[in-house]
Amino acid sequence: CAYCISHCCSFAVRRGVDPTVLRNLLDEMNNEENSSMSPEESHTAKLAYGLGTVPCSPNVETVKESNKLFTPAQLEWLMAATAVFGALNKLMDGLNIPLELSTYQETVDHLEANFKAGAASGMLQVEPIAKMQRKPTPQIDDWTNYVAIIYHGLRPGGAMSLDRKLLQGIPAKITECCAYLNTLCGCSFKSVLESLQHERFRRAITCVISKNFVSDNLSLHLKVRVGLQYCDVLENSILAEELKKVLASAAVAYQDDQNHDNDITSLVLQVGNALSYAPSRMTPRLVNQIRASDDFTPVMIVELVSCLAILQMLHRMISFHIVNFTSA
């Protein structure tokens, strides 16, 4: 996904990462003897790469060495960053969010050497123009940037205020979060929550699960069917078992939504399957079918992609927990 890679390069350079390292990241992280990266940087890149493949392929040895370099709390934040960005990646790719030309122009020379702009994020049309109209490398952030970030976080109505509003009513303890989700969604999602150490992250995950695994514009029954398709692509049987519990609970209320589901079920399942791959396998035919449908509305598309994005995040979290437990 060009959007995610370009923005990550911009963030990294602004935080002081050497652009040369970014351009040769895959070679650098695998060349430990002559790498300009520190062991911590190298293992962070390896961990993120393993969790970023579809399906995930985290290496037991990498996780074992990472446990020697980082505290369990630090390692969880690295996993969390990779998992949350997985959700953003699926959302950007699935909705085909266009990459800002200015961002690509300032990072085009810092993208990994073997990177090729694919179909994701509408990059094919702007790539030649961007390469001809390069912009200077972003400057490293100074104290004014940090002051601005702190201000927007703490001001009335800012990030922290929104965070408190969104998490209002969400429990804190693991057992309470599991019970909360079991009541709301029919599944505790214990496989996701039981290993999380940070309360704020645990509450945030509980919140997004509770928002996505309920009937809204799309019935929960239909969203879970799409999710089970996705689990086949991800090769994640643990997440599939969790979704089957949600499906069993949703079946009770399904009769109210069944007639409407029948009108769009086939199309939603086709679109969901196409969006399950990375990059997505959406075709002009599917897009035309969506446009021709009076029942499959834009808000339903966003809801469907959001659900898949959350599943990608949960998949990365579960995959990490399995390998981390194995390497212990």
Side-chain angles (χ1 to χ4, degrees):
C1 176
Y3 189 102
C4 296
I5 294 176
S6 188
H7 275 275
C8 273
C9 282
S10 181
F11 293 150
V13 172
R14 292 173 193 277
R15 301 302 186 271
V17 176
D18 183 351
T20 306
V21 172
L22 294 175
R23 184 156 182 79
N24 300 290
L25 184 61
L26 297 184
D27 290 334
E28 288 276 354
M29 75 179 190
N30 290 314
N31 185 15
E32 295 183 7
E33 292 185 3
N34 299 312
S35 176
S36 59
M37 300 171 69
S38 68
E40 290 82 2
E41 290 171 334
S42 177
H43 280 83
T44 296
K46 288 180 181 179
L47 181 66
Y49 186 84
L51 291 176
T53 59
V54 179
C56 289
S57 56
N59 183 280
V60 174
E61 190 61 33
T62 296
V63 176
K64 184 180 293 185
E65 289 301 312
S66 296
N67 272 294
K68 297 177 182 177
L69 295 168
F70 303 104
T71 67
Q74 290 172 329
L75 196 57
E76 180 169 290
W77 279 128
L78 293 177
M79 176 277 293
T82 308
V84 171
F85 218 96
L88 291 173
N89 173 246
K90 178 59 69 178
L91 199 67
M92 294 298 180
D93 186 21
L95 296 177
N96 197 31
I97 303 297
L99 170 61
E100 303 89 344
L101 183 58
S102 60
T103 303
Y104 187 64
Q105 287 172 334
E106 70 179 18
T107 58
V108 62
D109 290 324
H110 310 314
L111 300 178
E112 209 279 325
N114 297 317
F115 172 78
K116 294 180 181 178
S121 300
M123 277 305 306
L124 291 179
Q125 296 84 356
V126 304
E127 187 183 14
I129 301 173
K131 286 187 174 180
M132 289 187 294
Q133 301 175 355
R134 288 170 168 82
K135 290 189 175 183
T137 299
Q139 295 296 308
I140 296 176
D141 289 343
D142 59 20
W143 67 271
T144 60
N145 299 100
Y146 292 100
V147 170
I149 292 171
I150 293 172
Y151 168 73
H152 287 295
L154 299 179
R155 68 177 177 82
M160 295 304 294
S161 175
L162 179 60
D163 184 71
R164 286 191 295 271
K165 180 179 178 181
L166 291 173
L167 296 182
Q168 188 173 6
I170 303 296
K173 295 180 180 179
I174 295 175
T175 53
E176 293 173 347
C177 288
C178 288
Y180 177 83
L181 291 177
N182 195 56
T183 300
L184 199 63
C185 310
C187 175
S188 67
F189 287 90
K190 185 179 179 181
S191 62
V192 177
L193 298 174
E194 64 179 349
S195 300
L196 297 182
Q197 304 172 54
H198 293 90
E199 179 182 302
R200 185 161 173 249
F201 184 51
R202 182 167 59 245
R203 294 182 70 211
I205 296 301
T206 301
C207 179
V208 295
I209 291 175
S210 70
K211 297 295 184 185
N212 280 271
F213 291 98
V214 291
S215 291
D216 198 351
N217 298 284
L218 286 174
S219 74
L220 177 57
H221 188 275
L222 186 51
K223 286 193 286 188
V224 174
R225 288 183 62 187
V226 171
L228 287 171
Q229 287 182 158
Y230 190 27
C231 286
D232 287 339
V233 175
L234 298 174
E235 299 178 11
N236 193 322
S237 59
I238 294 177
L239 185 55
E241 288 302 315
E242 300 283 42
L243 292 185
K244 287 176 183 177
K245 296 174 186 175
V246 178
L247 188 65
S249 177
V252 178
Y254 178 52
Q255 298 302 321
D256 296 334
D257 299 307
Q258 191 168 9
N259 291 334
H260 182 63
D261 271 5
N262 288 337
D263 295 333
I264 61 172
T265 295
S266 177
L267 180 56
V268 171
L269 291 174
Q270 289 181 65
V271 172
N273 184 64
L275 292 173
S276 294
Y277 294 89
S280 68
R281 297 182 180 179
M282 289 294 293
T283 63
R285 180 185 65 83
L286 273 177
V287 173
N288 289 332
Q289 284 184 267
I290 293 172
R291 288 173 175 168
S293 173
D294 294 328
D295 297 312
F296 195 14
T297 62
V299 71
M300 289 179 176
I301 297 172
V302 174
E303 186 175 335
L304 178 64
V305 177
S306 175
C307 188
L308 288 170
I310 299 307
L311 287 173
Q312 174 143 301
M313 178 179 67
L314 300 182
H315 166 60
R316 292 187 179 188
M317 293 172 65
I318 291 172
S319 299
F320 171 79
H321 290 323
I322 291 172
V323 177
N324 195 36
F325 178 78
T326 303
S327 66

